[in-house]
Amino acid sequence: MSHLGMLLLGLALSWLWRAQVRLDRAGSWAQRWQWAWIHFLLPPLFLLMTALALAWMGPWGQMAGAGGWFCYGCALLLLALAAGVALRWAWEYWRVCRRARLRALAQVNLYGSSAYVLNLEIPFAAQVGVWEPQLVVSRGLLEQLDEEHLRAVLAHEEAHRHYGDTLWMFAVGWLRHLSGWLPNTEVLWQELLTLRELRADRWAAQRVDPLVLGEALVQVVGYGMAQQPAAAWVGFALEMGSGAGGRLQERIDALLQQEESGPVASHLSLQGWAWLGLALLPLLAIPFHN
């Protein structure tokens, strides 16, 4: 296969894979988790592996064909773009983490959890950072929630730390910006955010009263949460965005039902990893290049 054929095939398959996505919330949480990750990750990873294979093979050889230099340039451009987006994303994380610490009124101990307090009336709590996330709460949260509801919010935030959500959302956010031109990127992003919050709610509900957690969620969202200020926030009621009512209702329903099926799956299954392994197929062309 010529390099131009590989490039066109990579673009076509990635576009068609995403274009046929239809959101289905009828399945279990575990099924939705696997489905969302596979459909979100596979197309951009397939494109990146195609670009990597073309860059490795270079513009020379019989397989390169007439468009060898064009494909080589496109591959290098895509890889440079991916690196640039990653660097900008990392800079944004660092900038927000630094700003949160500089603007903090104080660092306090909240029932065993160290937290930075920001001078904001809007109640919110969030984990900020990547490798070592720090709990950040607002003055409004401490003033407007009683101890029982505040403990429920902190349990939810501890769930985000337990699952390493800030690290995972850093990587996923990078791919979101890199593949924003593909169909249904935002739909899958919102689904991943919903499942992330459902998982954190379920983990917290095993440690606090689910009804109290639901009440705290309604209270916080009822004050009108601001849009997520930057990439590094992973919080109790942040990123509600469009469709906030439906996501809030789904979280409340899940807490009230208290299903015995357990939390959302934390990791991809073997079948899920097998699907993602398809992204490596373009690399198989490298040994046969001549």
Side-chain angles (χ1 to χ4, degrees), residues 25 27 34 103 107 218 268:
R25 292 192 171 97
Q34 304 294 324
R103 292 186 177 182
Q107 187 174 9
V218 172
L268 281 173

Side-chain angles (χ1 to χ4, degrees), residues 38-99:
I38 292 169
H39 284 76
F40 188 91
L41 293 176
L42 184 55
L45 290 179
F46 188 85
L47 269 179
L48 286 174
M49 292 303 102
T50 300
L52 185 60
L54 291 173
W56 183 278
M57 292 185 292
W60 308 279
Q62 298 179 3
M63 288 181 59
W69 280 101
F70 172 77
C71 296
Y72 183 64
C74 288
L76 292 181
L77 181 62
L78 179 57
L79 294 175
L81 178 63
V85 172
L87 289 175
R88 182 181 181 277
W89 203 237
W91 164 258
E92 185 73 8
Y93 257 71
W94 178 85
R95 185 175 63 86
V96 172
C97 294
R98 182 172 180 270
R99 181 186 302 173

Side-chain angles (χ1 to χ4, degrees), residues 64 80 225 251:
M225 286 303 303
R251 291 176 64 181

Side-chain angles (χ1 to χ4, degrees), residues 144-256:
Q144 296 167 24
L145 294 187
D146 57 31
E147 179 179 342
E148 187 178 25
H149 291 88
L150 183 56
R151 285 183 180 272
V153 172
L154 296 180
H156 176 96
E157 289 307 312
E158 183 60 29
H160 284 311
R161 184 179 180 89
H162 172 76
Y163 287 115
D165 283 339
T166 53
L167 176 60
W168 284 106
M169 298 316 290
F170 170 80
V172 174
W174 166 60
L175 287 177
R176 176 199 182 193
H177 283 272
L178 189 62
S179 62
W181 55 275
L182 287 174
N184 294 310
T185 295
E186 191 61 26
V187 171
L188 290 168
W189 171 259
Q190 294 298 327
E191 176 71 354
L192 287 174
L193 293 181
T194 299
L195 293 171
R196 180 195 71 185
E197 296 307 316
L198 287 170
R199 180 176 67 174
D201 286 342
R202 174 64 64 173
W203 192 90
Q206 296 172 354
R207 291 154 177 81
V208 298
D209 188 338
L211 295 179
V212 173
L213 182 60
E215 290 172 355
L217 180 60
V218 172
Q219 289 183 56
V220 172
V221 176
Y223 282 101
M225 286 303 303
Q227 289 289 329
Q228 180 186 356
W233 300 98
V234 173
F236 181 62
L238 291 170
E239 294 210 63
M240 298 302 287
S242 60
R247 186 184 300 173
L248 173 61
Q249 187 61 51
E250 184 175 2
R251 291 176 64 181
I252 296 297
D253 290 343
L255 287 170
L256 293 177

